[in-house]
Amino acid sequence: MVMRWISGETTRRWARALMVAVAVAGTVLPALPAGAQPITLNGAGATFPFPLYSKWSQLYAAERGVQINYQSIGSGGGIRQFIAKTVDFGASDGPMTDEQIAQAGGRVLHIPMVAGAVVPVYNIPGVGQGLNFTPEVLADIFLGKITRWNDPRLARANPGVKLPAAEVVVVHRSDGSGTTAIWVNYLSKVSPEWKARVGEGTSVNWPTGLGGKGNEGVAGLVRQTPYTLGYVELAYALTNRMTFGNVRNRAGRFIRPSLSTTTKAMEGALPLIPADYRVFFTHPAGRDAYPIAGFTWILIYGEQPDPVRGKALVEFLWWATHEGQKYAPTLLYAPLPKSLVARIEGTLKSVTAGGKSLL
């Protein structure tokens, strides 16, 4: 397998990559049929799914003899390379905009791979896991309207917790990211003021706070600075043993983020997922649904320029959305519901080269 490290590695990513390496140690590439040429597919994009894509690529190379070279450069970089057609596929935690799709040209497909949650992380000396946040409180903290940890609205949501009178220090991403896209999409749904003043996207004009680059940067600022509140992906919070809170969902229940409550969020959003899968499942219905979650997608063209490489690509995606899903939970990703996989099958069968189906 070819695996390139582009951005700054963290202990988490090294540890998870090591898990991958150990898991597949000793695998042997299958012999290719006589005359067959080895195929390497190139992709780039989101950092969030990198450990899973690494494991998939190693297992798939051992099983099918197709190499997957995935560059973990961030969702924005993945979209740019996809538009520039320098890769076989892009990857992103935020969907492409209509403008970006127009720039890419052709029929662009978003293929959901797995899902993840984004969680509020904090550093309040003397306060442990599980602080409760209502949607309105989260929005008003990030708008700069709630400035103290002992604000009456926070206190009402956390009876029995002694909250300090200290100032809340907001921490957000300084770079464009899919994690931010999920977070601000949620804030836009629960706060008309946030939607009007700030809005959505992989990068926004933050009303207040400090900026950190990547999940690593946000986590570092939160850890180093008392009385901070930021947001990172659940997998990152768990593997780095960060203190994170519960969020009240549409059913009025404070939900602990987990793989199961992320899956509940997906299930709650299933009836509303459009044909192109470009959706966040934020603020979904469902009694046990955690309300801040989203897909990570692989981006491909519906009309492939090369029939051999195109066939190899859709066969890999078919494997990833079927057999590959069983490897997701151990790496802290929520697998796709079976009903959604059935829809994705139809999407993959629609991929063509020279007008002919590749599956």
Side-chain angles (χ1 to χ4, degrees):
M1 176 216 168
V2 179
M3 185 167 63
R4 299 175 63 183
W5 297 81
I6 300 299
S7 58
E9 295 80 10
T10 66
T11 301
R12 172 184 67 98
R13 289 168 60 186
W14 277 112
R16 298 171 88 185
L18 180 60
M19 291 168 57
V20 171
V22 170
V24 300
T27 54
V28 178
L29 293 180
L32 294 171
Q37 296 296 316
I39 295 176
T40 297
L41 299 173
N42 298 306
T47 57
F48 164 61
F50 175 74
L52 181 62
Y53 291 178
S54 296
K55 179 159 188 168
W56 281 351
S57 64
Q58 294 188 45
L59 291 167
Y60 198 69
E63 185 177 320
R64 306 290 178 89
V66 175
Q67 307 279 342
I68 310 294
N69 174 19
Y70 182 68
Q71 302 176 29
S72 173
I73 60 172
S75 297
I79 290 173
R80 286 193 294 273
Q81 290 208 20
F82 177 72
I83 292 173
K85 298 181 174 59
T86 57
V87 290
D88 295 298
F89 65 89
S92 178
D93 302 334
M96 292 175 69
T97 64
D98 291 343
E99 182 180 4
Q100 288 170 331
I101 290 175
Q103 290 174 4
R107 184 164 60 97
V108 173
L109 301 178
H110 290 63
I111 310 297
M113 293 288 105
V114 289
V118 181
V119 304
V121 291
Y122 52 87
N123 175 0
I124 312 173
V127 176
Q129 292 276 10
L131 202 61
N132 291 328
F133 294 93
T134 67
E136 298 79 13
V137 163
L138 278 179
D140 282 352
I141 289 176
F142 277 79
L143 282 167
K145 297 174 67 176
I146 290 179
T147 60
R148 298 282 173 181
W149 279 108
N150 65 346
D151 184 276
R153 287 188 286 169
L154 262 170
R156 280 197 296 274
N158 294 279
V161 179
K162 188 175 181 180
L163 294 168
E167 182 178 353
V168 180
V169 181
V170 170
V171 180
H172 53 73
R173 291 281 288 267
S174 61
D175 54 325
S177 81
T179 306
T180 290
I182 295 171
W183 186 256
V184 299
N185 174 269
Y186 171 72
L187 296 182
S188 293
K189 285 184 178 176
V190 300
S191 168
E193 183 175 354
W194 180 276
K195 185 175 182 179
R197 285 181 54 191
V198 185
E200 304 181 40
T202 55
S203 181
V204 298
N205 292 319
W206 297 96
T208 187
L210 307 173
K213 186 175 182 180
N215 279 299
E216 300 90 338
V218 170
L221 282 170
V222 170
R223 282 177 165 159
Q224 296 163 17
T225 313
Y227 307 111
T228 42
L229 173 68
Y231 60 91
V232 299
E233 293 150 349
L234 172 63
Y236 193 89
L238 288 172
T239 54
N240 288 276
R241 299 182 178 181
M242 300 187 72
T243 304
F244 57 93
N246 312 321
V247 181
R248 196 183 69 193
N249 66 8
R250 281 178 61 181
R253 303 180 72 232
F254 287 103
I255 301 297
R256 183 74 170 163
S258 68
L259 291 185
S260 64
T261 57
T262 302
T263 299
K264 291 293 185 183
M266 261 193 296
E267 292 172 349
L270 278 177
L272 303 175
I273 294 176
D276 63 5
Y277 310 110
R278 288 192 298 161
V279 66
F280 296 110
F281 24 97
T282 50
H283 202 44
R287 182 176 183 275
D288 298 317
Y290 178 73
I292 313 175
F295 288 129
T296 188
W297 298 270
I298 277 183
L299 313 170
I300 64 171
Y301 285 95
E303 174 67 16
Q304 291 288 308
D306 183 298
V308 175
R309 298 181 66 81
K311 182 176 178 59
L313 177 57
V314 293
E315 286 180 345
F316 166 67
L317 295 177
W318 185 281
W319 179 91
T321 52
H322 291 74
E323 291 94 327
Q325 292 294 301
K326 64 185 177 186
Y327 303 105
T330 55
L331 290 172
L332 304 175
Y333 302 97
L336 302 172
K338 289 183 179 178
S339 61
L340 184 63
V341 173
R343 287 178 56 182
I344 294 171
E345 289 177 354
T347 303
L348 292 176
K349 288 177 180 177
S350 76
V351 180
T352 58
K356 297 181 180 179
S357 176
L358 294 172
L359 286 178

